[in-house]
């Protein structure tokens, strides 16, 4: 089931929430990896077992989920880099791309939808190679990453110099909130003009992508 | 390495940048050897030797005039009378020969036409200066008496030549008139300008119709000769399409094809290299043809019959169509080969083959005028990916894993290049700037030099090339300039060139990316011993790093070469085909193509910007 294991984005946005509790529950379970087909099936059937009019139940659940998401979840994640001035973004998402041909996987954190080109500021992109093949496997692990950041149209794009990757340390994912936190180490970034910018660490709370499941199709 | 060693190493690198650029070098005036003659393409076989002898004569006469320069002022009576007479005749003939050289499509003829009349004027002036002295007066009286005595005989000679011309033997008539003219010039060397005039007019009356008819005849014959060569080469270039189709169909049928000689067989990948090489070779050939077309269809200054048809821009150069056809044929052939590869590659080799093809296409694509190659190969590559289970998915995942980072790498590298470009003036902008030219190598004996505001590196020859290259060098050597593109001639050559544009190109030793850049690229592209690129952009990035191909280069000008634009491309070495993107032909600037200069700047690069990384040689 996970063989292709390519992530595709499904961010928790209002338009997607109406998909219903069944999907949401299933997807959250999915997204943290490590679940067997059986356990997912049982989760789904547990929802089904509540019986009654499934359609109206689902609608209720969806409404509950919306409320819960509004109250508890950082809907878009967040990221900050301790630079002068501080780089702050109120969105961040993470994904792991498995190439599945024996290479390392790739960890990507961005504050815009992956596979798209950012269209507004600030812009943040973090990438590193890892043996972790799912977000849950990142827990407690560090990944050496390239960082690209641009605060606004007039500020320079800053980046890690070649060969000077910065360590990004992940904590355990928060399954309830659908996020994972990471601490960014200190390091140097450079501007295109060659000026070195000191990065005094940073942090990310990244939204974990939710994979499509059969019930989405 | 200690600091001294590092400094020495840097100096050596800079020197290497200046001196190690011989792959497309040949003799032409340069900043350090301005008096080197301009070279010839030699389409007309007698041109090179004629050119050599005319430059030899120019050099000798210039030296002589320098010697005479001071004598003309201080002791004109000591000027060597016989030598003045001799020179007057020889230089008169040389001016005519220079025009002949122009008819032969040689831009060196334009240079000599700029040079020799100046010599002629100064030899004539030496004659006048001598004639104003006591021995000179005697020599003048003697010459006048001799001219009177031989009047009838000379008239007879002129009539004889006229008859030869009338009977259609123009070459013979010219020969007779030139012999007459040389002797006449010797005889009139000490006459006043007014006294010379009737003799020259008389000669002109006989010579002009012969010159007109003969130059038209010669031009037509030379043009025909050039056209034969052009047609033969273009036929070969057109044959490329046929040959490439044959190879693709053989590969398609059996997985291998005969390449070049009958006993050389190769599989699809070998065939792809072979076809790519033929493609580039034929592109160089088409460029040579395009330049020859310009050379033989250009307006010529002093053109007797004014039959020069065009100043030869790309629109009017019909060979741009051949270049376009060659481009399309190559794109189609390579796409067909990739298709054939897809057919014959076993599943277990599909991945490696996929990567190998991407790399080859990436290198080729940078040498093409468009991106059709990449686009046309997409479909066939998809079929290749479909050969191995899971490969298409792996390719898609790889794309996802690398495209984001490559987007940012490209953004950052572009911003880095832009930052560097701020302190490097675009070479063509710099060359087109008007500045006060303060120094010259023009000898005083050849006329007064007045400092004035002039274009640093004009597009056309308007003064002797040896003075022009010197004056241009005073403003360019040592200056920091940038150019677009820097492509290595081959994987084994250190020499790289920028693609020709705006009458110039730069020549440099391509700087290799820093080790950390290559290492980082490999990390970013998730490459390893068993894992190669699986996207076109990734292939573009890694091959650019390995080949040292760049989109920008900046450096310090070490040497300036003045080459004729037509000669540069008419003699374009096959190995230097990347000087013009496949599918294009070199475009001259405004004005007669025969007078166009192709400036070559040897630079020691201090940085070079590729699409996905920037290399700085000063940061090592």
């Amino acid at each position: 089931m996970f063989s292709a294991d390519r992530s595709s984005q499904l961010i928790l946005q209002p338009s997607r929430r109406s998909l219903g509790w069944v999907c949401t529950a299933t997807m959250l379970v999915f997204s943290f990896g490590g679940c067997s087909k059986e356990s997912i099936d049982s989760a789904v059937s547990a929802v089904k077992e509540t019986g009654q009019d499934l359609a109206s139940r689902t609608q209720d659940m969806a409404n509950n989920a919306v409320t819960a998401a509004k109250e508890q979840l950082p809907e878009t994640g967040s990221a900050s880099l301790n630079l002068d001035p501080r780089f702050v973004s109120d969105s961040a998402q993470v994904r792991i791309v498995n190439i599945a041909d024996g290479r390392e996987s790739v960890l990507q954190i961005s504050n815009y939808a992956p596979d798209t080109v950012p269209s507004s500021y600030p812009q943040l992109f973090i990438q590193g190679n890892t043996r972790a093949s799912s977000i849950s496997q990142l827990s407690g692990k560090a990944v050496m990453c390239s960082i690209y950041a641009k605060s606004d149209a007039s500020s320079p794009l800053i980046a890690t110099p070649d060969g000077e990757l910065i360590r990004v340390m992940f904590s355990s994912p928060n399954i309830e909130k659908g996020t994972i936190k990471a601490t960014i180490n200190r390091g140097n970034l450079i501007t295109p003009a060659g000026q070195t910018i000191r990065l005094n660490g940073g942090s990310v709370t990244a939204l974990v992508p939710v994979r499509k499941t059969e019930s989405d199709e | 390495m200690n600091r001294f060693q590092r400094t020495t190493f840097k100096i050596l690198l800079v020197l290497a940048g200046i001196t190690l650029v011989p792959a497309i070098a040949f003799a032409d005036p340069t900043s350090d050897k301005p008096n080197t003659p301009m070279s010839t393409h030699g389409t007309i076989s007698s041109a090179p030797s004629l050119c050599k002898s005319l430059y030899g004569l120019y050099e000798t006469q210039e030296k002589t005039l320098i010697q005479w320069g001071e004598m003309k002022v201080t002791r004109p009576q000591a000027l060597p009378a016989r030598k003045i007479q001799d020179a007057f005749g020889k230089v008169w003939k040389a001016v005519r020969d220079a025009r002949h050289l122009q008819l032969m499509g040689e831009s060196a003829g334009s240079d000599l036409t700029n040079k020799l009349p100046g010599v002629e004027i100064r030899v004539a002036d030496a004659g006048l200066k001598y004639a104003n002295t006591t021995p000179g007066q005697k020599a003048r009286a003697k010459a006048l008496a001799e001219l009177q005595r031989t009047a009838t005989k000379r008239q007879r000679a002129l009539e004889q030549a006229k008859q030869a011309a009338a009977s259609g033997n123009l070459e013979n008539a010219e020969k007779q008139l030139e012999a007459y003219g040389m002797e006449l010039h010797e005889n009139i060397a000490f006459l006043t300008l007014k006294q010379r005039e009737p003799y020259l007019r008389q000669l002109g009356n006989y010579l002009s119709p012969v010159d007109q008819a003969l130059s038209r005849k010669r031009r037509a014959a030379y043009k025909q000769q050039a056209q034969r060569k052009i047609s033969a080469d273009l036929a070969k270039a057109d044959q490329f399409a046929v040959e490439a189709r044959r190879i693709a169909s053989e590969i398609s049928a059996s997985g291998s094809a005969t390449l070049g000689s009958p006993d050389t067989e190769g599989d699809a990948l070998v065939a792809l290299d072979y076809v790519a090489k033929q493609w580039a070779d034929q592109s160089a050939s088409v460029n040579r043809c395009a330049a020859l077309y310009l050379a033989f269809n250009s307006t010529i200054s002093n053109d007797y019959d004014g039959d020069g048809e065009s100043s030869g821009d790309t629109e009017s150069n019909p060979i741009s169509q051949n270049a376009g056809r060659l481009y399309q044929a190559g794109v189609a052939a390579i796409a067909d080969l990739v298709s054939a590869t897809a057919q014959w590659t076993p599943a277990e080799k599909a991945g490696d083959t996929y990567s190998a093809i991407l790399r080859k296409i990436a290198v080729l694509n940078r040498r093409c005028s468009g991106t059709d190659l990449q686009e046309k190969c997409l479909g066939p590559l998809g079929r290749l990916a479909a050969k191995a289970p899971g490969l298409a998915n792996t390719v898609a995942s790889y794309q996802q894993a690398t495209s984001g980072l490559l987007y940012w790498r490209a953004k950052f590298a572009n911003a880095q290049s832009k930052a560097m470009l701020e302190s490097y003036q675009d070479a063509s902008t710099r060359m087109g700037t008007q500045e006060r030219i303060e120094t010259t190598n023009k000898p005083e004996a050849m006329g007064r030099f007045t400092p004035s505001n002039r274009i640093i590196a004009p597009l056309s020859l308007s003064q002797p090339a040896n003075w022009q290259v010197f004056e241009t060098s005073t403003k360019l050597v040592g200056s920091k300039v940038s150019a677009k593109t820097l492509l290595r001639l081959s994987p084994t050559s250190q020499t790289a060139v920028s693609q020709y544009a705006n009458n110039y190109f730069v020549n440099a030793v391509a700087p290799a990316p820093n080790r950390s850049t290559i290492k980082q690229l490999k990390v970013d592209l998730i490459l390893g011993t068993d894992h190669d690129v699986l996207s076109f952009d990734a292939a573009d990035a890694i091959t650019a790093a390995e080949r040292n191909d760049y989109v920008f280069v900046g450096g310090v000008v070490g040497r300036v070469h003045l080459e004729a634009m037509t000669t540069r491309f008419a003699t374009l070495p096959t190995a230097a085909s990347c000087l013009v993107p496949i599918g294009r032909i070199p475009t001259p600037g405004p004005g007669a193509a025969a007078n166009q200069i192709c400036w070559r700047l040897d630079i020691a690069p201090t940085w070079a910007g590729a699409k996905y990384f920037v290399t700085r040689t000063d940061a090592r």
Side-chain angles (χ1 to χ4, degrees):
Chain A
M1 178 159 216
F2 289 105
S3 66
D5 208 18
R6 277 184 286 131
S7 56
S8 55
Q9 280 313 112
L10 186 59
I11 305 163
L12 290 179
Q13 286 168 348
S15 61
R16 307 294 300 190
R17 288 189 202 120
S18 59
L19 285 168
W21 177 241
V22 176
C23 297
T24 311
T26 314
M27 287 184 291
L28 280 174
V29 172
F30 257 51
S31 65
F32 292 102
C35 297
S36 66
K37 176 86 164 69
E38 288 74 16
S39 65
I40 294 158
D41 288 344
S42 67
V44 173
S45 57
V47 174
K48 282 181 181 165
E49 272 167 23
T50 55
Q52 299 184 15
D53 180 0
L54 188 60
S56 72
R57 275 288 284 163
T58 307
Q59 188 55 51
D60 289 349
M61 284 181 169
N63 293 340
N64 290 342
V66 171
T67 314
K70 273 186 183 163
E71 283 169 1
Q72 296 164 24
L73 293 179
E75 292 201 359
T76 50
S78 65
S80 67
L81 299 175
N82 298 324
L83 301 162
D84 185 19
R86 195 157 177 257
F87 176 99
V88 182
S89 171
D90 60 5
S91 66
Q93 47 199 285
V94 61
R95 72 172 181 180
I96 284 196
V97 184
N98 294 316
I99 301 161
D101 67 348
R103 292 176 221 245
E104 283 183 296
S105 298
V106 162
L107 160 86
Q108 292 173 341
I109 298 172
S110 59
N111 69 341
Y112 57 91
D115 305 322
T116 65
V117 167
S119 53
S120 61
Y121 293 101
Q123 300 173 346
L124 176 69
F125 184 80
I126 300 173
Q127 175 158 330
N129 298 355
T130 174
R131 281 284 161 208
S133 58
S134 68
I135 300 290
S136 59
Q137 285 178 17
L138 281 175
S139 174
K141 285 203 179 110
V143 180
M144 298 305 290
C145 289
S146 296
I147 298 177
Y148 291 85
K150 189 165 160 63
S151 301
D152 50 59
S154 59
S155 64
L157 170 62
I158 52 175
T160 38
D162 282 339
E164 293 182 40
L165 301 185
I166 291 175
R167 175 190 280 262
V168 178
M169 184 76 199
F170 289 85
S171 56
S172 304
N174 183 331
I175 297 178
E176 227 171 85
K177 292 186 175 177
T179 59
I180 187 165
K181 281 192 175 182
T183 317
I184 299 168
N185 258 25
R186 287 157 193 264
N188 288 330
L189 299 176
I190 50 167
T191 67
Q195 191 196 347
T196 301
I197 308 267
R198 186 68 191 155
L199 171 68
N200 285 312
S203 62
V204 177
T205 301
L207 212 63
V208 177
V210 181
R211 274 182 225 108
K212 281 186 186 175
T213 66
E214 285 110 63
S215 46
D216 269 345
E217 302 297 332
Chain B
M1 244 196 258
N2 63 30
R3 199 174 156 188
F4 173 75
Q5 284 170 322
R6 272 200 306 274
T7 313
T8 315
F9 181 67
K10 277 182 192 169
I11 292 170
L12 283 174
L13 270 181
V14 170
L15 284 177
I18 295 169
T19 54
L20 271 184
V21 257
I24 55 167
F26 54 65
D28 260 302
T30 63
S31 45
D32 45 1
K33 287 186 179 167
N35 291 323
T36 311
M38 291 187 77
S39 51
T40 51
H41 49 79
T43 306
I44 308 305
S45 59
S46 54
S49 62
L50 177 62
C51 181
K52 196 179 165 201
S53 76
L54 290 176
Y55 272 105
L57 180 130
Y58 172 76
E59 200 184 336
T60 314
Q61 287 306 327
E62 197 186 61
K63 274 184 195 150
T64 309
L65 284 171
I66 292 167
Q67 282 172 10
W68 293 352
E70 204 199 323
M71 288 168 80
K72 281 201 288 191
V73 182
T74 56
R75 38 194 186 104
Q77 71 282 2
L79 284 165
R82 186 57 226 159
K83 279 189 180 166
I84 291 173
Q85 288 180 293
D86 187 49
F88 203 28
K90 275 189 184 156
V91 174
W92 173 79
K93 168 80 164 76
V95 171
R96 296 178 50 77
D97 287 344
R99 289 177 190 154
H100 191 170
L101 202 55
Q102 286 184 294
L103 294 174
M104 294 174 172
E106 299 288 358
S107 292
S110 302
D111 182 36
L112 287 157
T113 311
N114 285 334
K115 281 181 158 95
L116 290 166
V119 173
E120 194 180 19
I121 288 167
R122 278 158 193 90
V123 171
D125 183 55
L128 288 174
K129 290 283 180 333
Y130 177 73
N132 288 336
T133 67
T134 315
Q137 294 288 349
K138 279 185 194 163
R140 177 182 289 171
K142 197 180 156 193
L144 280 168
E146 180 67 8
L147 282 165
Q148 256 178 358
R149 193 182 65 77
T150 57
T152 322
K153 190 181 149 198
R154 283 186 295 101
Q155 183 64 39
R156 216 170 30 239
L158 289 172
E159 284 302 319
Q160 246 174 12
K162 194 178 176 180
Q163 275 168 17
S167 66
N169 199 342
L170 291 168
E171 287 81 2
N172 199 13
E174 185 196 43
K175 212 172 161 185
Q176 289 177 37
L177 288 170
E178 284 186 337
Y180 173 95
M182 281 174 77
E183 200 182 326
L184 179 74
H185 276 79
E186 289 174 18
N187 287 332
I188 63 171
F190 305 128
L191 271 55
T192 64
L193 292 178
K194 210 175 164 190
Q195 284 168 330
R196 287 173 188 174
E197 208 268 334
Y199 296 105
L200 292 175
R201 195 176 51 225
Q202 186 189 30
L203 173 61
N205 287 342
Y206 284 86
L207 202 46
S208 282
V210 174
D211 280 344
Q212 275 187 25
L214 197 52
S215 67
R216 200 176 294 125
K217 183 181 165 187
R218 279 181 175 146
R219 185 68 165 170
Y222 295 152
K223 226 163 136 171
Q224 213 175 20
Q225 233 174 297
Q227 195 51 53
R228 273 201 294 274
K229 186 173 162 35
I230 291 171
S231 300
D233 286 352
L234 289 181
K236 272 188 223 160
D238 283 343
Q239 193 59 32
F240 163 82
V242 179
E243 175 70 353
R245 267 201 302 275
R246 175 194 64 80
I247 292 171
S249 83
E250 278 184 32
I251 297 273
S252 178
S254 68
S256 78
T258 308
L259 307 169
S261 57
D263 55 344
T264 317
E265 285 272 317
D267 65 9
L269 282 182
V270 178
L272 208 157
D273 282 340
Y274 176 82
V275 168
K277 169 83 170 60
Q278 297 299 311
W279 196 26
D281 288 0
Q282 289 309 320
S283 173
S285 175
V286 167
N287 281 316
R288 288 193 288 269
C289 293
L292 279 186
Y293 178 86
L294 289 176
F296 285 89
N297 288 278
S298 163
T299 314
I300 299 176
S301 53
N302 303 310
D303 194 5
Y304 294 104
D305 58 348
D307 80 332
E309 283 157 11
S310 78
S311 57
D313 55 5
T314 308
E315 279 75 35
S316 70
N317 192 332
I319 292 167
S320 63
Q321 290 171 15
N322 296 76
R325 275 208 299 277
L326 180 72
Y327 175 68
Q328 296 303 341
V331 169
I334 288 169
D336 283 353
L337 274 174
V338 177
S339 281
T341 312
Q343 215 174 313
W344 286 92
T345 305
E348 69 274 14
K349 282 192 171 172
D352 289 346
T353 307
Y354 190 90
S355 302
I357 291 174
L358 282 176
R359 281 172 170 268
K360 289 174 198 297
I361 289 170
V363 174
L364 273 174
N365 202 55
R366 289 194 294 269
R367 284 152 179 78
C368 283
S369 54
T371 53
D372 305 57
L373 189 59
Q374 180 190 347
E375 289 150 19
K376 290 271 160 63
C377 288
L378 269 180
L381 277 168
R383 287 195 285 283
L384 176 59
K387 291 285 294 234
L391 181 56
N393 278 344
T394 305
V395 165
S397 302
Y398 183 82
Q399 179 82 27
Q400 279 195 321
T402 52
S403 62
L405 192 52
L406 283 174
Y407 167 82
W408 286 105
R409 281 204 77 105
K411 276 231 154 203
F412 195 74
N414 188 45
Q416 278 180 304
S417 285
K418 275 194 177 149
M420 293 304 289
L421 285 168
E422 278 175 20
S423 42
Y424 290 75
Q425 200 174 5
D426 173 71
S428 79
T429 308
R430 172 90 188 121
M431 293 164 83
T433 307
Q434 272 215 0
E435 271 189 25
R436 192 169 169 82
I437 309 286
E438 299 277 3
T439 47
T440 186
N441 60 343
K442 180 180 178 179
E444 234 181 276
M446 295 305 295
R448 185 199 292 248
F449 168 77
T450 326
S452 59
N453 280 335
R454 268 177 284 159
I455 302 273
I456 291 177
L459 304 184
S460 290
L461 278 171
S462 59
Q463 65 160 331
N466 50 338
W467 305 342
Q468 182 63 63
V469 74
F470 181 93
E471 291 172 14
T472 299
S473 304
T474 62
K475 294 291 174 186
L476 279 187
V477 171
S479 55
K480 285 161 77 178
V481 296
S482 65
K484 286 191 183 109
T485 69
L486 188 72
L487 298 172
R488 284 254 298 281
L489 300 191
S490 76
T492 52
S493 167
Q494 288 305 303
T495 303
V497 290
S498 70
Q499 289 173 329
Y500 167 87
N502 304 325
N503 289 63
Y504 89 101
F505 67 99
V506 304
N507 198 28
V509 172
N514 301 352
R515 267 202 295 275
S516 62
T517 301
I518 296 194
K519 210 171 151 189
Q520 187 63 51
L521 261 179
K522 286 182 176 169
V523 171
D524 291 355
L525 303 175
I526 330 146
L527 305 182
T529 337
D530 298 324
H531 296 108
D532 203 352
V533 288
L534 289 174
S535 79
F536 179 81
D537 290 341
D540 190 23
I542 196 67
T543 57
E546 288 166 355
R547 277 291 285 260
N548 311 342
D549 283 347
Y550 295 95
V551 287
F552 291 111
V553 62
V556 179
V557 179
R559 189 187 289 143
V560 176
H561 300 242
L562 187 162
E563 302 175 340
M565 189 255 169
T566 51
T567 317
R568 158 43 62 222
F569 290 103
T571 60
L572 182 67
T574 299
S577 62
C578 69
L579 196 53
V580 183
I582 301 177
R584 293 228 187 98
I585 56 168
T587 320
N595 296 340
Q596 300 272 311
I597 298 169
C598 174
W599 293 98
R600 166 179 146 185
L601 310 182
D602 290 349
I603 67 165
T606 38
W607 66 277
K611 188 172 175 189
Y612 298 105
F613 59 91
V614 167
T615 299
R616 289 185 62 163
T617 61
D618 55 351
R620 284 172 183 170

